Amino acid sequence: MKKNLLAVAVLCALTSGAAFAQQAESPWLVRVRAVHLDSANKDSTGLGLSINNKTIPEFDITYFFNKNVAAELVLTVPQKHDVRSNGTNIGTLKHLPPSLLLQYHFDAPGFEPYVGAGVNYTRFSSLNLPAGVGIDRNSWGGALQVGVDIPLNKNLSLNFDVKKVYIKTDVFAGGVKAGTFKVDPVLVGVGLGWRF
């Protein structure tokens, strides 16, 4: 009899644990966004360098350590930009700018605001610049973020997000450093998130 009671108690505990696990919110969230990149175009070379602004696709994966603290990996595909000097097109380049941010999500009724801070790594590639002109292909910098998720149902949410990303590269002319070009874009995005 005692064995039967013990078996029933263990079965109840396992069943209730499984039910709780099914009800618990998943720690994973993925989002897709359309993001407008607005470059600061700060140039110390005297060449009046700038790149064009554009709207790009963005994909991110977020992992929640608990209900308030999460880490987000922001990804996209290499983005092609026109490079200008004093408004005249002088070439093109591509950049790939993944960012990793630590976020804090606030408790609020009906919406879920968050802030984040982290690091950005940008890789410049496919350089098509005038002969003798080159840039440092790697950039490390900070990234700041503020955003909000508005739940549409149990799993789906509407997302608004703004990031400031610090991207810069040294510019070389004839092998000599001419100065630094700072892209330092503001990225304004809207998209959908899926908690699974």
Side-chain angles (χ1 to χ4, degrees), residues 159-171:
N159 175 259
F160 297 97
D161 184 89
V162 179
K163 288 184 284 293
K164 175 69 174 180
V165 181
Y166 295 90
I167 301 171
K168 67 178 182 179
T169 184
D170 292 331
V171 180

Side-chain angles (χ1 to χ4, degrees), residues 48-92:
L49 296 177
S50 65
I51 64 168
N52 61 296
N53 299 329
K54 66 186 302 186
T55 299
I56 65 175
E58 188 180 274
F59 172 77
D60 71 67
I61 304 168
T62 302
Y63 180 82
F64 284 81
F65 299 104
N66 57 48
K67 70 174 184 174
N68 298 109
V69 179
E72 179 181 83
L73 178 62
V74 182
L75 302 167
T76 186
V77 294
Q79 298 298 319
K80 185 175 181 179
H81 286 273
D82 294 328
V83 180
R84 299 184 179 98
S85 174
N86 296 314
T88 302
N89 195 332
I90 61 169
T92 59

Side-chain angles (χ1 to χ4, degrees), residues 1 4-5 14 16 18 26 30 38 40 49 52 60 62 64 72 77 80-81 83 94 97 133 137 173 178 184 193:
M1 181 70 170
N4 289 340
L5 289 175
L14 291 174
S16 63
S26 167
V30 295
D38 186 7
L49 296 177
N52 61 296
D60 71 67
T62 302
F64 284 81
E72 179 181 83
V77 294
K80 185 175 181 179
H81 286 273
V83 180
K94 288 185 179 180
V133 176
R137 289 178 179 258
D184 290 353

Side-chain angles (χ1 to χ4, degrees), residues 15-37:
T15 304
S16 63
F20 176 78
Q22 287 176 353
Q23 291 175 359
E25 201 167 25
S26 167
W28 294 100
L29 170 66
V30 295
R31 296 189 191 93
V32 290
R33 299 186 187 105
V35 175
H36 183 72
L37 184 152

